[in-house]
Amino acid sequence: MLAVHAARSAIKVVLQLSCFYCYRSFTVVRDVIVVGAGPAGSYASYSLSRMGYDVLNLEEHREVGKPVECTGLVSARVTGMVRTRSGVNTVTGAHVIFPNGERIHVHKKEKTIVLDRDSFDKDCAGQSIGAGTDLRIDSRVRSVKVTEDSATVVYREMGTLREETARIVIGADGLNSRVRRDLFGTRSSRIISAYQVDSAAKLEDQDSVEVYVGSKVTRGFFGWATPSGNITRIGVGAHGGASLKYFNNLNAKFGQNKILGINGGGIPIAYLKKTYADRSLLVGDAAGIVKPLSGGGIYTGMVSAKHAADAVNTAFEREDFSEKTLSMYEKGWKSDLRSELWFDGMFQRFFSMISDGAFNRIYSMISDPVAIEKINEVGDIDYPSRVIISLILRKPGLLRNLLPGRI
Ligand SMILES: Cc1cc2nc3c(=O)[nH]c(=O)nc-3n(C[C@H](O)[C@H](O)[C@H](O)COP(=O)(O)OP(=O)(O)OC[C@H]3O[C@@H](n4cnc5c(N)ncnc54)[C@H](O)[C@@H]3O)c2cc1C
């Protein structure tokens, strides 16, 4: 791997020198341009740089990690992929609070990590730079174009318009992906609007998140309060409308005048049908590779980034950047995630239609110790549908309450 890296670096230097001394109009063609330095973009850049490729990573903001639009809950699978000390808390439990005020408490042996997303993103990008990535901040991509033999990106770096060309481009530029718009001709279609604050309110149980369901606090999603070190992150998500009124209802439970900062954003919860094209791939939020039930997209984004790097590597080995070769990217990420995203998507659609009465009946059906034990045994933050499927198999009557129109 090191030999490949050294050879590629040498070729790059020779090309740059020949460009400088001989052919002023000659363009140095990069191996890969990655647009966006969130977790998915940084992980794709890191994986490819480690393989010895010349990677340019363009990030529109002046600081990686800012602004924060995340609660930061991840499993140890994520912290296994990045050297990071950005954890601010760990939790093992969740209180689920139903519309009638009743609650159940579930817990796991494995810890869920609460990240400081700003530091986490910087650690991801730092790891990628360490592997050789050329990261440019304050570099907003304005347009992307693919021709038969290259991909060209026009971007504004610190106010100056520039152009770079590569053999392949990866769009890791989040919900409003420019790469997706320019090369795939679409935008995200199903979006959860999330409103979150950093609050000075203190949760009694620092080892558990609080999850709220019901029409007062959400439409088609849920509300949450997460103990995050010195602060509590309180938020709600809503599908098909603004989330602020739900947030106000939820936040009232935590007392007045505790808000330290407002953050939030959109969460794409439907993945794009085709995430590859000639000389281009979409990863993470840009492709909608996010768990629709929980809105978690860090793990899924990084998994997709790893598969993207493997597919790009194969394309270089075959010297074939056509969508035929790159289709292996989609096969790869779907083999890991498709069934989870599919079940999640289906349950999320049901949840967006069920009534408070049905939620309260679900509470009565799952609050017995045997059901709670099952939840504790099967629950997995990265695969949330598993717990619902196992509960339905144990108590098929639950299905009746998931049907639309049940009061
Ligand atoms: C309120 C909220 C809470 C969440 N909580 C969790 C959670 O607890 N756990 C979890 O796993 N997920 C959570 N998510 C989802 C998670 O934040 C995303 O799924 C994750 O950030 C996706 O990573 P990404 O790298 O694909 O995209 P992003 O993190 O969005 O990164 C995209 C990057 O591309 C850059 N960019 C965009 N356009 C351009 C351009 N034209 N040129 C150059 N750069 C560009 C952006 O600046 C950004 O840095 C939450 C989301 C929200 C909104």
Side-chain angles (χ1 to χ4, degrees), residues 109-132:
K109 273 202 285 311
E110 302 83 42
K111 288 182 187 318
T112 295
I113 298 122
V114 186
L115 298 171
D116 168 9
R117 249 313 280 279
D118 174 15
S119 316
F120 177 72
D121 281 22
K122 288 188 171 74
D123 286 341
C124 291
Q127 178 170 278
S128 148
I129 290 171

PDB file of all heavy atoms in Angstrom, residues 109-132:
ATOM      1  N   LYS A 109     -26.629  -3.600  27.953  1.00  0.00           N
ATOM      2  CA  LYS A 109     -25.306  -3.716  28.589  1.00  0.00           C
ATOM      3  C   LYS A 109     -24.320  -2.798  27.857  1.00  0.00           C
ATOM      4  O   LYS A 109     -23.505  -2.136  28.460  1.00  0.00           O
ATOM      5  CB  LYS A 109     -24.815  -5.162  28.498  1.00  0.00           C
ATOM      6  CG  LYS A 109     -25.300  -6.022  29.661  1.00  0.00           C
ATOM      7  CD  LYS A 109     -24.448  -7.241  29.873  1.00  0.00           C
ATOM      8  CE  LYS A 109     -24.621  -8.359  28.907  1.00  0.00           C
ATOM      9  NZ  LYS A 109     -25.865  -8.913  28.530  1.00  0.00           N
ATOM     10  N   GLU A 110     -24.450  -2.781  26.515  1.00  0.00           N
ATOM     11  CA  GLU A 110     -23.513  -1.967  25.720  1.00  0.00           C
ATOM     12  C   GLU A 110     -23.833  -0.479  25.898  1.00  0.00           C
ATOM     13  O   GLU A 110     -24.990  -0.089  25.958  1.00  0.00           O
ATOM     14  CB  GLU A 110     -23.625  -2.275  24.220  1.00  0.00           C
ATOM     15  CG  GLU A 110     -23.394  -3.711  23.838  1.00  0.00           C
ATOM     16  CD  GLU A 110     -24.645  -4.558  24.013  1.00  0.00           C
ATOM     17  OE1 GLU A 110     -25.733  -4.089  23.652  1.00  0.00           O
ATOM     18  OE2 GLU A 110     -24.526  -5.672  24.550  1.00  0.00           O
ATOM     19  N   LYS A 111     -22.775   0.302  25.943  1.00  0.00           N
ATOM     20  CA  LYS A 111     -22.965   1.741  26.115  1.00  0.00           C
ATOM     21  C   LYS A 111     -23.225   2.415  24.762  1.00  0.00           C
ATOM     22  O   LYS A 111     -22.622   2.035  23.763  1.00  0.00           O
ATOM     23  CB  LYS A 111     -21.711   2.354  26.715  1.00  0.00           C
ATOM     24  CG  LYS A 111     -21.499   2.010  28.187  1.00  0.00           C
ATOM     25  CD  LYS A 111     -20.257   2.703  28.681  1.00  0.00           C
ATOM     26  CE  LYS A 111     -19.825   2.333  30.069  1.00  0.00           C
ATOM     27  NZ  LYS A 111     -20.780   2.187  31.098  1.00  0.00           N
ATOM     28  N   THR A 112     -24.098   3.407  24.790  1.00  0.00           N
ATOM     29  CA  THR A 112     -24.255   4.282  23.627  1.00  0.00           C
ATOM     30  C   THR A 112     -23.477   5.553  23.944  1.00  0.00           C
ATOM     31  O   THR A 112     -23.554   6.080  25.065  1.00  0.00           O
ATOM     32  CB  THR A 112     -25.750   4.603  23.399  1.00  0.00           C
ATOM     33  OG1 THR A 112     -26.416   3.383  23.063  1.00  0.00           O
ATOM     34  CG2 THR A 112     -25.940   5.597  22.271  1.00  0.00           C
ATOM     35  N   ILE A 113     -22.729   6.029  22.980  1.00  0.00           N
ATOM     36  CA  ILE A 113     -21.854   7.181  23.232  1.00  0.00           C
ATOM     37  C   ILE A 113     -22.566   8.465  22.804  1.00  0.00           C
ATOM     38  O   ILE A 113     -23.211   8.492  21.763  1.00  0.00           O
ATOM     39  CB  ILE A 113     -20.530   7.022  22.449  1.00  0.00           C
ATOM     40  CG1 ILE A 113     -19.816   5.759  22.962  1.00  0.00           C
ATOM     41  CG2 ILE A 113     -19.605   8.223  22.607  1.00  0.00           C
ATOM     42  CD1 ILE A 113     -19.540   4.751  21.935  1.00  0.00           C
ATOM     43  N   VAL A 114     -22.441   9.499  23.624  1.00  0.00           N
ATOM     44  CA  VAL A 114     -22.964  10.824  23.247  1.00  0.00           C
ATOM     45  C   VAL A 114     -21.747  11.655  22.830  1.00  0.00           C
ATOM     46  O   VAL A 114     -20.869  11.941  23.640  1.00  0.00           O
ATOM     47  CB  VAL A 114     -23.691  11.510  24.422  1.00  0.00           C
ATOM     48  CG1 VAL A 114     -24.348  12.804  23.944  1.00  0.00           C
ATOM     49  CG2 VAL A 114     -24.711  10.585  25.070  1.00  0.00           C
ATOM     50  N   LEU A 115     -21.710  12.008  21.552  1.00  0.00           N
ATOM     51  CA  LEU A 115     -20.544  12.731  21.013  1.00  0.00           C
ATOM     52  C   LEU A 115     -20.732  14.234  21.106  1.00  0.00           C
ATOM     53  O   LEU A 115     -21.853  14.737  21.028  1.00  0.00           O
ATOM     54  CB  LEU A 115     -20.377  12.412  19.526  1.00  0.00           C
ATOM     55  CG  LEU A 115     -20.105  10.978  19.103  1.00  0.00           C
ATOM     56  CD1 LEU A 115     -20.199  10.885  17.578  1.00  0.00           C
ATOM     57  CD2 LEU A 115     -18.734  10.544  19.579  1.00  0.00           C
ATOM     58  N   ASP A 116     -19.630  14.924  21.187  1.00  0.00           N
ATOM     59  CA  ASP A 116     -19.611  16.349  20.843  1.00  0.00           C
ATOM     60  C   ASP A 116     -19.339  16.356  19.330  1.00  0.00           C
ATOM     61  O   ASP A 116     -18.220  16.073  18.889  1.00  0.00           O
ATOM     62  CB  ASP A 116     -18.481  17.035  21.621  1.00  0.00           C
ATOM     63  CG  ASP A 116     -18.218  18.435  21.090  1.00  0.00           C
ATOM     64  OD1 ASP A 116     -19.003  18.908  20.255  1.00  0.00           O
ATOM     65  OD2 ASP A 116     -17.227  19.043  21.512  1.00  0.00           O
ATOM     66  N   ARG A 117     -20.385  16.611  18.530  1.00  0.00           N
ATOM     67  CA  ARG A 117     -20.284  16.429  17.078  1.00  0.00           C
ATOM     68  C   ARG A 117     -19.203  17.295  16.451  1.00  0.00           C
ATOM     69  O   ARG A 117     -18.526  16.901  15.503  1.00  0.00           O
ATOM     70  CB  ARG A 117     -21.619  16.752  16.416  1.00  0.00           C
ATOM     71  CG  ARG A 117     -22.405  15.608  15.795  1.00  0.00           C
ATOM     72  CD  ARG A 117     -21.657  14.680  14.919  1.00  0.00           C
ATOM     73  NE  ARG A 117     -21.416  15.121  13.565  1.00  0.00           N
ATOM     74  CZ  ARG A 117     -22.259  15.057  12.559  1.00  0.00           C
ATOM     75  NH1 ARG A 117     -23.466  14.600  12.731  1.00  0.00           N
ATOM     76  NH2 ARG A 117     -21.903  15.442  11.351  1.00  0.00           N
ATOM     77  N   ASP A 118     -19.037  18.497  16.981  1.00  0.00           N
ATOM     78  CA  ASP A 118     -18.022  19.397  16.447  1.00  0.00           C
ATOM     79  C   ASP A 118     -16.641  18.717  16.526  1.00  0.00           C
ATOM     80  O   ASP A 118     -15.928  18.573  15.526  1.00  0.00           O
ATOM     81  CB  ASP A 118     -18.085  20.703  17.250  1.00  0.00           C
ATOM     82  CG  ASP A 118     -16.991  21.670  16.891  1.00  0.00           C
ATOM     83  OD1 ASP A 118     -16.355  21.485  15.837  1.00  0.00           O
ATOM     84  OD2 ASP A 118     -16.759  22.621  17.662  1.00  0.00           O
ATOM     85  N   SER A 119     -16.288  18.244  17.732  1.00  0.00           N
ATOM     86  CA  SER A 119     -14.970  17.596  17.895  1.00  0.00           C
ATOM     87  C   SER A 119     -14.901  16.305  17.097  1.00  0.00           C
ATOM     88  O   SER A 119     -13.852  15.967  16.549  1.00  0.00           O
ATOM     89  CB  SER A 119     -14.686  17.223  19.345  1.00  0.00           C
ATOM     90  OG  SER A 119     -15.034  18.234  20.179  1.00  0.00           O
ATOM     91  N   PHE A 120     -16.008  15.571  17.048  1.00  0.00           N
ATOM     92  CA  PHE A 120     -15.996  14.307  16.317  1.00  0.00           C
ATOM     93  C   PHE A 120     -15.684  14.555  14.838  1.00  0.00           C
ATOM     94  O   PHE A 120     -14.839  13.875  14.248  1.00  0.00           O
ATOM     95  CB  PHE A 120     -17.342  13.592  16.459  1.00  0.00           C
ATOM     96  CG  PHE A 120     -17.422  12.312  15.673  1.00  0.00           C
ATOM     97  CD1 PHE A 120     -16.711  11.184  16.092  1.00  0.00           C
ATOM     98  CD2 PHE A 120     -18.178  12.227  14.514  1.00  0.00           C
ATOM     99  CE1 PHE A 120     -16.771   9.998  15.362  1.00  0.00           C
ATOM    100  CE2 PHE A 120     -18.244  11.042  13.784  1.00  0.00           C
ATOM    101  CZ  PHE A 120     -17.542   9.934  14.207  1.00  0.00           C
ATOM    102  N   ASP A 121     -16.355  15.530  14.243  1.00  0.00           N
ATOM    103  CA  ASP A 121     -16.109  15.819  12.819  1.00  0.00           C
ATOM    104  C   ASP A 121     -14.654  16.242  12.602  1.00  0.00           C
ATOM    105  O   ASP A 121     -14.031  15.893  11.599  1.00  0.00           O
ATOM    106  CB  ASP A 121     -17.057  16.918  12.311  1.00  0.00           C
ATOM    107  CG  ASP A 121     -18.452  16.369  12.024  1.00  0.00           C
ATOM    108  OD1 ASP A 121     -18.798  15.313  12.583  1.00  0.00           O
ATOM    109  OD2 ASP A 121     -19.211  16.995  11.257  1.00  0.00           O
ATOM    110  N   LYS A 122     -14.125  17.000  13.560  1.00  0.00           N
ATOM    111  CA  LYS A 122     -12.719  17.423  13.422  1.00  0.00           C
ATOM    112  C   LYS A 122     -11.794  16.206  13.528  1.00  0.00           C
ATOM    113  O   LYS A 122     -10.804  16.114  12.796  1.00  0.00           O
ATOM    114  CB  LYS A 122     -12.371  18.457  14.498  1.00  0.00           C
ATOM    115  CG  LYS A 122     -13.015  19.817  14.240  1.00  0.00           C
ATOM    116  CD  LYS A 122     -12.495  20.877  15.198  1.00  0.00           C
ATOM    117  CE  LYS A 122     -12.958  22.272  14.799  1.00  0.00           C
ATOM    118  NZ  LYS A 122     -14.364  22.576  15.053  1.00  0.00           N
ATOM    119  N   ASP A 123     -12.133  15.268  14.415  1.00  0.00           N
ATOM    120  CA  ASP A 123     -11.303  14.059  14.519  1.00  0.00           C
ATOM    121  C   ASP A 123     -11.370  13.242  13.231  1.00  0.00           C
ATOM    122  O   ASP A 123     -10.361  12.683  12.783  1.00  0.00           O
ATOM    123  CB  ASP A 123     -11.756  13.200  15.711  1.00  0.00           C
ATOM    124  CG  ASP A 123     -11.336  13.825  17.040  1.00  0.00           C
ATOM    125  OD1 ASP A 123     -10.426  14.684  17.034  1.00  0.00           O
ATOM    126  OD2 ASP A 123     -11.919  13.478  18.081  1.00  0.00           O
ATOM    127  N   CYS A 124     -12.574  13.155  12.646  1.00  0.00           N
ATOM    128  CA  CYS A 124     -12.705  12.411  11.366  1.00  0.00           C
ATOM    129  C   CYS A 124     -11.837  13.068  10.301  1.00  0.00           C
ATOM    130  O   CYS A 124     -11.116  12.390   9.560  1.00  0.00           O
ATOM    131  CB  CYS A 124     -14.156  12.424  10.881  1.00  0.00           C
ATOM    132  SG  CYS A 124     -15.297  11.481  11.877  1.00  0.00           S
ATOM    133  N   ALA A 125     -11.922  14.401  10.212  1.00  0.00           N
ATOM    134  CA  ALA A 125     -11.165  15.116   9.181  1.00  0.00           C
ATOM    135  C   ALA A 125      -9.668  15.040   9.477  1.00  0.00           C
ATOM    136  O   ALA A 125      -8.842  14.905   8.555  1.00  0.00           O
ATOM    137  CB  ALA A 125     -11.630  16.566   9.099  1.00  0.00           C
ATOM    138  N   GLY A 126      -9.307  15.107  10.758  1.00  0.00           N
ATOM    139  CA  GLY A 126      -7.891  15.015  11.143  1.00  0.00           C
ATOM    140  C   GLY A 126      -7.319  13.658  10.746  1.00  0.00           C
ATOM    141  O   GLY A 126      -6.196  13.564  10.231  1.00  0.00           O
ATOM    142  N   GLN A 127      -8.116  12.608  10.958  1.00  0.00           N
ATOM    143  CA  GLN A 127      -7.669  11.258  10.591  1.00  0.00           C
ATOM    144  C   GLN A 127      -7.448  11.164   9.078  1.00  0.00           C
ATOM    145  O   GLN A 127      -6.484  10.559   8.619  1.00  0.00           O
ATOM    146  CB  GLN A 127      -8.742  10.253  11.041  1.00  0.00           C
ATOM    147  CG  GLN A 127      -8.454   8.817  10.682  1.00  0.00           C
ATOM    148  CD  GLN A 127      -9.416   7.849  11.349  1.00  0.00           C
ATOM    149  OE1 GLN A 127      -9.261   7.482  12.496  1.00  0.00           O
ATOM    150  NE2 GLN A 127     -10.414   7.422  10.615  1.00  0.00           N
ATOM    151  N   SER A 128      -8.326  11.832   8.350  1.00  0.00           N
ATOM    152  CA  SER A 128      -8.222  11.794   6.891  1.00  0.00           C
ATOM    153  C   SER A 128      -6.992  12.593   6.407  1.00  0.00           C
ATOM    154  O   SER A 128      -6.247  12.143   5.529  1.00  0.00           O
ATOM    155  CB  SER A 128      -9.555  12.316   6.337  1.00  0.00           C
ATOM    156  OG  SER A 128      -9.410  12.966   5.152  1.00  0.00           O
ATOM    157  N   ILE A 129      -6.763  13.747   7.023  1.00  0.00           N
ATOM    158  CA  ILE A 129      -5.562  14.527   6.666  1.00  0.00           C
ATOM    159  C   ILE A 129      -4.309  13.709   6.988  1.00  0.00           C
ATOM    160  O   ILE A 129      -3.359  13.642   6.196  1.00  0.00           O
ATOM    161  CB  ILE A 129      -5.527  15.876   7.435  1.00  0.00           C
ATOM    162  CG1 ILE A 129      -6.617  16.810   6.906  1.00  0.00           C
ATOM    163  CG2 ILE A 129      -4.154  16.547   7.319  1.00  0.00           C
ATOM    164  CD1 ILE A 129      -6.821  18.075   7.725  1.00  0.00           C
ATOM    165  N   GLY A 130      -4.333  13.050   8.136  1.00  0.00           N
ATOM    166  CA  GLY A 130      -3.193  12.214   8.544  1.00  0.00           C
ATOM    167  C   GLY A 130      -2.893  11.125   7.520  1.00  0.00           C
ATOM    168  O   GLY A 130      -1.743  10.707   7.356  1.00  0.00           O
ATOM    169  N   ALA A 131      -3.927  10.657   6.824  1.00  0.00           N
ATOM    170  CA  ALA A 131      -3.727   9.596   5.823  1.00  0.00           C
ATOM    171  C   ALA A 131      -3.298  10.181   4.473  1.00  0.00           C
ATOM    172  O   ALA A 131      -2.991   9.437   3.547  1.00  0.00           O
ATOM    173  CB  ALA A 131      -5.010   8.793   5.663  1.00  0.00           C
ATOM    174  N   GLY A 132      -3.306  11.516   4.350  1.00  0.00           N
ATOM    175  CA  GLY A 132      -2.812  12.130   3.104  1.00  0.00           C
ATOM    176  C   GLY A 132      -3.818  12.976   2.350  1.00  0.00           C
ATOM    177  O   GLY A 132      -3.499  13.535   1.295  1.00  0.00           O
TER     178      GLY A 132
END
